Amino acid sequence: MSTAKIYLFANWKMYLDATESERMAKQLAAYSKRLPTAVETVIFPSSLAFQGVAKAAKGSRLGVGAQNVYWVEKGGYTGEISAAMYKRAGARYALVGHSERRHLFHESNHETAQKVEAVVEAGMLPVVCVGETASERAAGQTEEVVEAQLRAAYSTVVWPLKKNPIIAYEPVWAISHGTGKDQAGKYCEPAEAEKMHHFIIKIVHDLLPAAPEPVVLYGGSVRPDTVTDYLSEPNVGGVLVGAASTVLSSWKTIIADALK
Ligand code: PEP
């Protein structure tokens, strides 16, 4: 791991409704009080569940983040929620450029830049998600694609000096929404993730030279039985977990294993 702190982020996507989210958040808030300060656990509930989850997490060490934001502060933007509104509701982080946003909802690199800027301006930290598709990987374009995503995401932001940039490397083919595996039926090997994390840190240093050390989380079918394999790589600063974070027992096992 690259930093003393371990970042364990749970992306609940659209898996849990508001009642289920609040129930699990209450249990995780209580659990977070027993965790060492060296671990940062953050959940990203749906927008519908956000306020109830933020209320459940209040006063605990459980952080709450937004899955997506809009960059304009307020106005006629049906269906959107601004970064500033999330900040006022208690969010400390926001995912930006998640592959499901990019590929299912056609979010462009330019839009991710606007979101990164809005999230920072609102006083939160963007978790910039990057990663290549299976066909880009097969064509040997992984580094090129990830570098372009990073360069675009940080192209306009004025970075707050004391905040570590947080990036999630999530190979699209490794996310469990699809098969979670490559064409040969293999999960993303920790060594392959490590190589990309090293590359991402180098690029982000170049893009934000005055910022503190970037932290790169790995995401893509992380499970209780694989989390320590990823975290034992030197440039893996934590994990962003989807499906396996939505079941209380599996998420608590991931946290406990990460602390071993
Ligand atoms: C994600 O989409 O952020 C993710 C990592 O999902 P999963 O863990 O389900 O592959």
Side-chain angles (χ1 to χ4, degrees):
M1 275 169 280
S2 56
T3 54
K5 206 165 202 163
I6 309 172
Y7 295 80
L8 304 174
F9 286 8
N11 176 12
W12 286 353
K13 309 193 188 193
M14 206 181 71
Y15 284 118
L16 303 175
D17 69 17
T19 309
E20 292 162 337
S21 302
E22 279 175 45
R23 191 186 309 131
M24 189 156 152
K26 277 185 195 146
Q27 288 163 314
L28 290 174
Y31 180 63
S32 75
K33 293 183 182 157
R34 306 208 301 264
L35 296 174
T37 51
V39 66
E40 172 91 337
T41 59
V42 180
I43 51 180
F44 295 80
S46 72
S47 53
L48 182 67
F50 190 88
Q51 282 191 297
V53 165
K55 199 168 151 217
K58 208 167 177 185
S60 76
R61 290 203 45 251
L62 176 67
V64 186
Q67 291 183 14
N68 182 37
V69 299
Y70 195 63
W71 54 86
V72 179
E73 199 174 330
K74 54 165 66 172
Y77 300 91
T78 304
E80 296 294 330
I81 301 170
S82 71
M85 287 173 178
Y86 268 117
K87 168 69 179 170
R88 285 198 289 275
R92 294 190 0 231
Y93 298 88
L95 302 181
V96 177
H98 188 276
S99 65
E100 286 152 14
R101 300 295 323 162
R102 292 180 190 269
H103 298 289
L104 301 176
F105 301 102
H106 313 291
E107 188 168 301
S108 67
N109 275 343
H110 176 62
E111 285 169 319
T112 65
Q114 289 172 286
K115 291 183 181 190
V116 165
E117 219 181 327
V119 169
V120 168
E121 266 171 27
M124 297 186 286
L125 255 186
V127 179
V128 174
C129 303
V130 296
E132 78 289 357
T133 62
S135 57
E136 288 161 347
R137 179 174 181 251
Q141 295 166 341
T142 299
E143 292 193 351
E144 188 188 320
V145 167
V146 167
E147 180 168 351
Q149 290 170 338
L150 290 169
R151 288 197 180 277
Y154 293 113
S155 60
T156 51
V157 69
V158 178
W159 193 259
L161 286 182
K162 293 196 175 129
K163 306 257 180 161
N164 302 77
I166 302 189
I167 302 96
Y169 172 58
E170 301 202 305
V172 183
W173 52 271
I175 288 179
S176 59
H177 183 80
T179 61
K181 296 175 184 165
D182 68 7
Q183 287 100 328
K186 287 175 70 182
Y187 290 108
C188 180
E189 296 287 347
E192 183 174 348
E194 166 63 20
K195 201 169 132 257
M196 284 308 295
H197 284 221
H198 180 77
F199 174 75
I200 289 166
I201 289 171
K202 189 165 69 82
I203 300 290
V204 178
H205 265 309
D206 179 36
L207 295 172
L208 304 174
E213 189 65 12
V215 175
V216 186
L217 318 182
Y218 172 73
S221 302
V222 173
R223 301 275 177 270
D225 58 329
T226 57
V227 65
T228 50
D229 297 340
Y230 291 108
L231 290 176
S232 57
E233 295 292 343
N235 288 298
V236 176
V239 285
L240 175 58
V241 183
S245 74
T246 62
V247 176
L248 184 66
S249 57
S250 122
W251 183 233
K252 279 169 82 174
T253 307
I254 286 176
I255 298 172
D257 285 354
L259 288 171
K260 278 180 190 159

